[in-house]
Amino acid sequence: MTTSLRGATAFALAAALGCNKGLEPTPVPTTCPQGFVGVCGTVTFQGTRPDSTEGVFIVAYPTFPQSRNDLLSFSPFPPPSSLPQPFTGSQFYMLPLPSGRYEWVVAVWKRVGTFAPNFSNADSLLREAGFYRDGADTTSHGSGIVTVADGGANGISFLIDFGNMHSISYYFPAPPAH
Amino acid sequence: MRAVPSALPLTFFHRWGGPAARTGSLLLLLARPLAAQTAVVSGAVTDSAGAPIEYARVRAAGTNLRALTDGAGRFRLARVRAGQVVLHVDRVGYRRVVDTLAVASGESLFVNVTLAAAAFVAEPVVVTAAKRSQLVSQAITSVAVVSDTDLARRAVATVDEAVDKAPGVQFLNGQVNIRGSSGYVQGLGSRVLLLVDGVPANQGDRGGINWDLVPLQDVQRVEIVKGAGSSLYGSSAFGGVVNVLTRDIEPGVHASVRTRAGAFANPPHEVWRFRDYTGAEEGVDVTGSYGADALGASLTAGGWHSDGYREQDRRNHWQSAGKAEWRPDRATRVTASGSWASDQYETPLIWCTRGTCNDRGQTYQPFRIDTNGRGAFTRSDKGIVAATLERTTSARLAWQARGSWLRTHFIDYEPGNNDAGVANRLGAELRGLLHPSNNSLATVGAEGARSGVTSDIFGDHSQTEFAAYGESEQRLGGARLTAGARIDYIAVDGGGLSAVMSPRAGVVLPTGPDLVWRASAGRGFRAPSLAERFVSTVVQGLTVIPNPNLDPETAWSFELGNAARFSSTVRWDAALFWTEAYHLIEPRVETATSRIQFQNVTRARLAGLDLSVTVAPLAPRLTTALAYTFLYARELAHDSVPQRPLAFRPKHLLTLTADYQWRTLGVGGDFRYASRLERVELYESDPRVAEKVLDLRAGLAHGPLFLTCRLANALNYIYNQVPRTLAAVRTLSVTLTWTH
């Protein structure tokens, strides 16, 4: 083999490395894909979507919030994009989360608008629209323990009911005004 | 050689110890003690065909003995110390010959030397590493040079496309990284300083870089200095300096017209198709110049249009540039230059994920955009003017003074929300080059700049910088020692001055005719941009709040380098580098208040190896090059954040280049591999892959015409460098240049 042939071969080999496929089409999955870490499931919509809807977001709390101050301790932060529209029928969702134990996987409806500093207008912009509840749950607010262990937790399915949404004050009454 | 057979081309020698020499020895009786210790070496230098070579340089290593051959190729070295003598014979255009002779006292040797022809490769001269001209091997830090030949051969459209292939350099969605310096902050706060003919040209508001500021037609070469350069250049030269040097004005009348047309490949999968036609691009540039002894001027104008390779990606670009030179005498030069560019481009923002467009059942559509961003586009205008007076007053002193004005103006049109800003950066510098002795040089100077911005999201603010610097080089034997420092004073909105000191020291040590070691340590810094200090806006529902109290980022940068030539064809340059970075400015999300603020939070370490090997030629007409960078980039533990990979830094970066030239036809290619990013910020769980891109090219010269064909990303490898932003797909472009 001549030197030039060796050079051309080396270059061709390098080019062949480039033949490895890059990004590929990825159909919407029906279960957590391999390598995904988080929770997956199907949400079913009920009721009519309010006209002022900006989006519906799913987040998870390691422990059920005990006060208004805990409401921002959800994962992931910042929250992922809204569930895709239209908000009718059922759709599969995936929520990437760090491995760990989560007590409350909840759907949050957001009205069109911008948060004021310190979330002082959160009551008017956010509603709890549904959450995952496991069979053994006996709590009044509803709870479903989900454990994410270096993989995807499937079957975290629940109902999102636009006709039965709850404001923050429902869980944590606003402190009396001074 | 001599009594010992030699394979080297000192073909034979004669002993001149015969009767004539012995007769003469009586006359040299008084000189006997000296003659008894020395000898005479003479000879003839010829080429392979036996023709004498004039002006070949002959020297005895380790001595001051040297001679040039005469018209008959003859030379003579007298008073050669008896013993072993290493003889170097070289001439431009021939391969150097080195051989060892054993010479006895009083002896006269005659040697015949045959030099084989070899391609002459001149060592590049650079002007950026030390703010003065020097051979690249004399620089204490690594320097990469992209020549106009490289630019023409690669048939690129913008400067960044060519710089991207330089060793240790990577562009991430338009943001330049030198050894992983910048990462990706959406063009904000570049940790690399851009110079245009030595004039700082980073934006006055955001600190970013407009790579299309100078038309490619006007670029003579680009120098890339790696590692901290703040000891000479101040802020932004944190991770390196890129100097775009425009063409000198040639004597006489010159003109060129460059036309370009191209097409983008369609998505490789039907489910990703987003339009029913093939995207195209086309452009034209016209350049004219006239140069005489005392005066010269050039002017370039042009523009191009691109349909883009994805949805909502069209762009129109207009540009012009001019340069004038006046040389009233041989020691004085006055240069005035300026360039202006205007862009109107649609903003693809991020690609569409499920439900945010017609996703066709896909989790993401890389060629389509989120419908919330539909209609977004940007108008961006930028211009720079500069004037320089250079004067060489004596062999000991040269100085230059310059002034510059950089202006950028943008309007972001987004659905329901427009942002706009105007920024100006006025700069001035006075620099002197002192040559107090043959063994020493000193560069001293003072620099001032004022940046100002008026914007709805950055407010109305200004920043003033004053600096003084000095750096000296001292030769000690073959070594060159360099030490210097710069002090910068920075005031924001007329407030108190804060000072940053940036020292640097280094050494260049040749340990052989083809082997040079270099070592350096220096401090880099970057003052926060006005945008980072004062931005006030809303991003994805989160409020971005200003932080006027940001401190400058700083870093200590170390390098140990080696440049070697193993033969007339193989050259290499390797460097180990280590950077300890402090107070890096990063956007931080405050979860308690749902706010984003730029803060000095990150302590980081970037270390690695930078290697480039050039084999020219590997075989007749074939040249090859390899550039590899290994980067260990870690964000060190701070607050509650554990140590983790620094975001947007690939661990491995490899570029392979090959070019084959046959008469006026050249073909070649570049292959770039960048390993999968270990960590990104935002959308961490999104799919991302390594970068593996093959670019192919061909060029044909015919008289005044030069035709190039370029197939960028020939394998149509689909990838993204930053989250949810598709990198360029396969693009075929044809460029025709006519030169007068």
Side-chain angles (χ1 to χ4, degrees):
Chain A
M1 186 183 273
T2 65
T3 310
S4 58
L5 267 178
R6 279 198 296 270
T9 305
F11 194 78
L13 278 174
L17 285 174
C19 291
N20 284 358
K21 289 179 178 176
L23 297 172
E24 293 279 308
T26 311
V28 175
T30 52
T31 59
C32 284
Q34 193 170 10
F36 176 79
V37 179
V39 298
C40 308
T42 300
V43 289
T44 303
F45 293 96
Q46 189 169 298
T48 305
R49 186 199 78 147
D51 289 341
S52 58
T53 300
E54 180 179 305
V56 177
F57 305 83
I58 297 180
V59 296
Y61 288 84
T63 56
F64 188 84
Q66 302 300 312
S67 68
R68 283 176 168 256
N69 291 338
D70 294 341
L71 287 175
L72 286 169
S73 61
F74 59 80
S75 286
F77 196 95
S81 304
S82 165
L83 292 171
Q85 298 205 43
F87 299 133
T88 55
S90 297
Q91 64 173 252
F92 181 78
Y93 78 92
M94 298 193 313
L95 179 66
L97 290 172
S99 294
R101 179 178 179 277
Y102 296 90
E103 289 188 358
W104 207 35
V105 177
V106 60
V108 178
W109 172 86
K110 182 178 181 297
R111 184 196 304 274
V112 173
T114 303
F115 288 115
N118 298 319
F119 283 113
S120 57
N121 59 345
D123 253 338
S124 65
L125 292 179
L126 301 177
R127 295 281 187 280
E128 170 265 295
F131 50 82
Y132 170 68
R133 182 194 288 270
D134 64 26
D137 174 34
T138 57
T139 60
S140 57
H141 50 68
S143 172
I145 307 297
V146 177
T147 302
V148 176
D150 295 330
N154 280 299
I156 313 303
S157 303
F158 56 95
L159 181 74
I160 294 177
D161 187 353
F162 291 122
N164 185 27
M165 299 196 293
H166 304 103
S167 68
I168 293 173
S169 299
Y170 172 81
Y171 291 97
F172 308 107
H178 294 290
Chain B
M1 253 346 274
R2 206 161 183 215
V4 181
S6 169
L8 292 174
L10 295 177
T11 50
F12 65 89
F13 69 95
H14 299 290
R15 288 175 187 276
W16 274 12
R22 283 195 288 273
T23 305
S25 65
L26 290 172
L27 301 173
L28 297 172
L29 197 59
L30 292 175
R32 194 174 182 86
L34 178 63
Q37 298 169 21
T38 62
V40 175
V41 176
S42 58
V45 180
T46 57
D47 64 16
S48 305
I53 296 176
E54 191 178 8
Y55 298 123
R57 190 176 64 155
V58 183
R59 63 185 177 92
T63 74
N64 289 325
L65 296 174
R66 58 195 61 205
L68 289 175
T69 56
D70 60 18
R74 300 287 179 129
F75 71 90
R76 185 172 187 273
L77 296 176
R79 297 187 178 187
V80 177
R81 187 174 292 275
Q84 203 170 59
V85 177
V86 178
L87 208 61
H88 291 242
V89 184
D90 52 46
R91 171 78 161 86
V92 171
Y94 295 89
R95 197 164 293 169
R96 174 187 291 170
V97 165
V98 179
D99 206 353
T100 305
L101 310 173
V103 185
S105 298
E107 194 174 24
S108 291
L109 292 183
F110 186 91
V111 294
N112 275 351
V113 182
T114 303
L115 296 184
F120 170 65
V121 181
E123 184 179 355
V125 172
V126 294
V127 298
T128 313
K131 272 197 173 180
R132 60 178 170 78
S133 294
Q134 62 182 169
L135 292 173
V136 71
S137 63
Q138 295 171 352
I140 59 173
T141 56
S142 296
V143 183
V145 178
V146 180
S147 67
D148 57 348
T149 306
D150 295 328
L151 295 172
R153 192 175 55 199
R154 291 203 159 103
V156 292
T158 54
V159 174
D160 51 328
E161 287 180 296
V163 175
D164 186 32
K165 299 295 187 298
V169 179
Q170 189 199 22
F171 278 77
L172 280 173
N173 202 31
Q175 186 148 17
V176 64
N177 276 267
I178 296 179
R179 293 173 177 169
S181 54
S182 296
Y184 178 69
V185 202
Q186 297 191 347
L188 204 66
S190 173
R191 296 185 181 115
V192 172
L193 176 66
L194 173 71
L195 306 173
V196 177
D197 287 327
V199 177
N202 285 39
Q203 297 156 352
D205 51 358
R206 288 176 283 192
I209 292 175
N210 294 111
W211 289 100
D212 52 2
L213 188 59
V214 181
L216 192 73
Q217 284 276 79
D218 286 6
V219 178
Q220 185 152 44
R221 70 177 192 279
V222 183
E223 296 181 8
I224 301 140
V225 180
K226 304 174 194 176
S230 295
S231 66
L232 287 172
Y233 292 102
S235 180
S236 293
F238 182 98
V241 179
V242 175
N243 193 3
V244 177
L245 296 150
T246 59
R247 291 184 186 284
D248 292 330
I249 299 168
E250 302 280 334
V253 176
H254 297 269
S256 73
V257 179
R258 183 177 191 259
T259 59
R260 182 165 60 95
F264 299 102
N266 287 315
H269 303 284
E270 185 60 32
V271 75
W272 283 349
R273 284 295 291 264
F274 64 101
R275 62 186 173 196
D276 54 6
Y277 61 93
T278 298
E281 60 177 355
E282 55 279 326
V284 62
D285 291 290
V286 180
T287 299
S289 70
Y290 170 75
D293 288 344
L295 283 171
S298 69
L299 188 64
T300 297
W304 49 268
H305 164 82
S306 169
D307 288 335
Y309 55 90
R310 53 196 162 166
E311 192 178 30
Q312 192 169 294
D313 195 21
R314 284 175 297 187
R315 172 183 287 249
N316 291 315
H317 174 87
W318 299 100
Q319 61 189 14
S320 64
K323 186 175 183 178
E325 280 185 5
W326 176 43
R327 295 174 184 268
D329 56 61
R330 293 183 61 183
T332 308
R333 181 167 69 168
V334 180
T335 308
S337 61
S339 62
W340 168 86
S342 179
D343 290 87
Q344 287 188 41
Y345 54 93
E346 294 178 322
T347 317
L349 300 177
I350 56 175
W351 72 38
C352 148
T353 53
R354 177 185 163 209
T356 60
C357 67
N358 177 14
D359 59 29
R360 301 172 78 176
Q362 300 291 303
T363 55
Y364 66 103
Q365 280 282 354
F367 289 84
R368 293 177 184 269
I369 62 156
D370 188 325
T371 47
N372 288 328
R374 187 147 289 162
F377 73 100
T378 292
R379 163 130 190 202
S380 167
D381 298 290
K382 49 259 172 183
I384 186 170
V385 291
T388 306
L389 167 63
E390 298 165 85
R391 183 160 174 76
T392 303
T393 54
S394 70
R396 300 291 184 202
L397 174 65
W399 60 269
Q400 65 168 262
R402 61 129 177 112
S404 62
W405 174 31
L406 171 72
R407 181 179 173 89
T408 55
H409 178 208
F410 77 91
I411 306 176
D412 287 336
Y413 297 94
E414 292 177 22
N417 180 35
N418 294 343
D419 292 324
V422 179
N424 292 287
R425 187 182 193 280
L426 298 167
E429 183 178 15
L430 180 63
R431 183 194 314 171
L433 177 60
L434 312 173
H435 203 168
S437 73
N438 289 337
N439 288 326
S440 61
L441 278 169
T443 304
V444 295
E447 195 171 355
R450 185 183 188 281
S451 302
V453 63
T454 301
S455 164
D456 62 328
I457 54 174
F458 305 140
D460 193 349
H461 299 281
S462 67
Q463 179 164 296
T464 309
E465 301 165 50
F466 303 103
Y469 61 85
E471 186 169 273
S472 170
E473 179 189 281
Q474 185 73 38
R475 288 184 64 175
L476 285 178
R480 294 170 186 270
L481 306 175
T482 298
R486 169 170 167 141
I487 185 162
D488 282 82
Y489 293 96
I490 301 161
V492 178
D493 287 339
L497 293 170
S498 57
V500 182
M501 177 70 88
S502 307
R504 180 171 78 160
V507 61
V508 174
L509 182 64
T511 54
D514 297 315
L515 184 66
V516 178
W517 289 91
R518 63 178 183 271
S520 64
R523 193 169 190 234
F525 89 98
R526 183 178 74 87
S529 67
L530 290 170
E532 287 166 317
R533 285 186 194 274
F534 297 111
V535 63
S536 179
T537 186
V538 175
V539 177
Q540 295 178 359
L542 302 175
T543 306
V544 185
I545 59 170
N547 184 359
N549 299 318
L550 277 176
D551 291 324
E553 304 175 325
T554 58
W556 279 100
S557 191
F558 307 90
E559 178 179 321
L560 175 65
N562 172 262
R565 195 173 67 179
F566 295 111
S567 68
S568 62
T569 59
V570 181
R571 293 164 181 262
W572 98 329
D573 192 294
L576 294 168
F577 59 90
W578 187 290
T579 296
E580 291 286 322
Y582 304 86
H583 305 121
L584 292 186
I585 299 168
E586 303 278 350
R588 286 290 161 189
V589 180
E590 293 180 8
T591 54
T593 56
S594 184
R595 296 189 303 191
I596 298 177
Q597 187 181 46
F598 284 93
Q599 297 176 358
N600 294 101
V601 287
T602 307
R603 167 92 167 81
R605 178 171 297 144
L606 299 103
L609 166 72
D610 211 355
L611 170 70
S612 72
V613 181
T614 304
V615 185
L618 176 65
R621 307 188 192 99
L622 178 66
T623 62
T624 57
L626 175 153
Y628 171 72
T629 301
F630 169 77
L631 180 65
Y632 172 86
R634 286 291 179 275
E635 179 180 328
L636 303 186
H638 60 88
D639 303 326
S640 60
V641 179
Q643 178 170 308
R644 57 184 180 175
L646 208 50
F648 296 112
R649 272 78 171 184
K651 186 180 281 185
H652 304 281
L653 191 61
L654 172 72
T655 305
L656 301 174
T657 301
D659 280 284
Y660 185 85
Q661 188 73 38
W662 183 71
R663 297 184 180 172
T664 59
L665 172 68
V667 295
D670 296 305
F671 175 73
R672 163 60 67 93
Y673 168 81
S675 58
R676 182 178 182 271
L677 298 174
E678 288 182 89
R679 192 171 78 82
V680 298
E681 281 160 359
L682 285 180
Y683 314 122
E684 183 97 27
S685 59
D686 272 19
R688 57 181 191 272
V689 293
E691 178 180 338
K692 299 170 187 172
V693 176
L694 176 69
D695 295 340
L696 299 176
R697 55 180 171 262
L700 179 66
H702 181 74
L705 298 175
F706 184 48
L707 179 71
T708 58
C709 180
R710 179 177 184 236
L711 189 60
N713 194 358
L715 302 168
N716 205 18
Y717 182 76
I718 304 299
Y719 68 105
N720 63 320
Q721 295 178 309
V722 300
R724 300 189 179 177
T725 305
L726 183 68
V729 299
R730 179 170 59 218
T731 308
L732 174 67
S733 59
V734 178
T735 305
L736 180 64
T737 307
W738 171 82
T739 306
H740 168 72

